[in-house]
Amino acid sequence: MGMITIPMYRAPADVACLMLNMGANHRVGPRRINVKLAHVLAARGVSSLRFDLGGVGDSDASDASSDLQARAVRDLRAGMDLLENMLGIRKFAIVGMCSGVEHAMTAAATDTRVVALSLFDGFAFPDRRSRWERTLRRALAAPAHPSFAGKAKRWLQRHLLPSHSTKPLPGFFAERKPPEVNAVWFGATMRRLVERKVAVQLLYSGSLHVCDHDRDQLGPFRSEPFAQAVQYEFMRDADHTLCTARGQQLFLRSVGGWVAACAIGAGPERRSPSTSPSPLAPVVERPEHGAYVPQ
């Protein structure tokens, strides 16, 4: 189940954008950010599809026997097939947030129709100094936060009372991998994508990672050749679920401008050395005001 948004006053670009679930969120995304992003992209001439993966939101799980990544890739490829049949578009950008990052990367690694990835708060490998700084900042800020008492109570209940022990959710949210396994997979997949000339944007919020010094979130990968080929951005003023208007503006401006630049620059008839923006260049154009209105 999904929603297609197409430009009203111009021919669609040669690349369409796919947006999927962030964890258990509905396809509209946290604070309806996928809806707002679809409007921003349409205003810039880019079609999009926001949809629920099988078993999440309004989409039924068609097959629970296959593993998580196989189901996610199958659903993403089905979305690409739909847009190809309806709009004749054969190239795609995928916007993945949080748990959707792994799904987007896996689909891009297995389907050559994916030419661009925008990945928000996905894989991160902060070094020891960054982790200590994050822990210290959180420890100093936590007692003053209104939610501190409730979180402390729930933590004690989970760890001291068996009746309050948590169990993993089924389906898309039960599969966990050790950090070292994630690191090997991330490095190998990123190298493969960059070698294939897939444009990649890595975005990190200020709520999960607190600070950033010299691409801290990439950790040991910061010196890898692929790290120099991607756009990396640390959004200190954006939080993980984009609760604030400021955070939403930053996300929409960065992701909307970057995806539109990738899409418009994909076709030779649309590329002009003097007018076509680079996918890696900052976009200063402000998205339409309506994208920021609470919906």
Side-chain angles (χ1 to χ4, degrees):
M1 181 68 69
M3 179 71 68
I4 295 175
T5 304
I6 60 175
M8 181 179 294
Y9 299 113
R10 64 178 76 179
D14 301 317
V15 176
C17 181
L18 274 70
M19 304 170 225
L20 61 153
N21 308 91
M22 174 183 182
N25 280 273
H26 187 265
R27 63 181 173 272
V28 301
R31 307 326 187 263
R32 294 176 60 82
I33 197 66
N34 286 346
V35 179
K36 299 170 187 178
L37 180 58
H39 295 170
V40 169
L41 291 175
R44 297 186 177 196
V46 181
S47 304
S48 64
L49 167 65
R50 56 186 184 274
F51 70 104
D52 291 319
L53 296 171
V56 187
D58 295 323
S59 292
D60 294 330
S62 58
D63 178 17
S65 60
S66 57
D67 62 43
L68 169 60
Q69 287 306 329
R71 299 199 308 269
V73 170
R74 181 192 60 215
D75 292 345
L76 282 162
R77 297 186 73 172
M80 288 186 269
D81 292 341
L82 176 68
L83 289 178
E84 186 171 349
N85 292 333
M86 293 184 65
L87 304 179
I89 295 175
R90 297 179 176 84
K91 296 179 181 178
F92 301 93
I94 303 178
V95 175
M97 304 176 68
C98 190
S99 62
V101 167
E102 185 175 4
H103 306 327
M105 290 179 63
T106 305
T110 57
D111 197 312
T112 58
R113 291 177 294 179
V114 180
V115 297
L117 291 174
S118 178
L119 309 174
F120 178 76
D121 269 355
F123 293 96
F125 310 93
D127 57 25
R128 181 177 298 178
R129 183 202 59 179
S130 299
R131 294 196 299 270
W132 273 106
E133 183 173 353
R134 177 178 61 186
T135 301
L136 179 61
R137 287 175 180 250
R138 287 180 173 178
L140 294 175
H145 197 279
S147 65
F148 176 74
K151 287 187 175 181
K153 178 182 178 181
R154 289 190 292 273
W155 186 91
L156 291 172
Q157 288 176 336
R158 287 197 304 269
H159 289 80
L160 300 179
L161 301 178
S163 60
H164 286 80
S165 61
T166 57
K167 296 180 180 180
L169 292 172
F172 277 89
F173 318 108
E175 300 178 18
R176 299 275 184 177
K177 299 176 183 177
E180 57 274 14
V181 174
N182 281 331
V184 172
W185 183 88
F186 175 82
T189 305
M190 287 297 300
R191 294 184 196 100
R192 180 177 177 184
L193 294 174
V194 169
E195 288 174 1
R196 216 185 74 214
K197 307 299 183 184
V198 176
V200 179
Q201 181 186 45
L202 298 177
L203 303 175
Y204 294 96
S205 73
S207 62
L208 289 188
H209 309 289
V210 182
C211 58
D212 190 271
H213 306 286
D214 187 28
R215 300 191 170 199
D216 274 353
Q217 312 316 319
L218 293 181
F221 295 111
R222 67 164 65 93
S223 58
E224 287 271 352
F226 75 75
Q228 309 309 313
V230 304
Q231 175 177 305
Y232 179 100
E233 186 174 350
F234 177 69
M235 296 182 171
R236 184 182 301 276
D237 295 330
D239 61 272
H240 184 60
T241 54
L242 303 171
C243 294
T244 67
R246 171 64 176 164
Q248 292 181 36
Q249 290 175 6
L250 290 172
F251 180 88
L252 292 171
R253 180 176 300 180
S254 180
V255 178
W258 187 85
V259 171
C262 290
I264 294 172
E269 71 278 5
R270 297 176 180 271
R271 187 180 295 115
S272 168
S274 60
T275 60
S276 180
S278 167
L280 302 181
V283 178
V284 297
E285 178 185 349
R286 182 183 179 89
E288 282 62 27
H289 179 74
Y292 306 129
V293 177
Q295 300 182 33

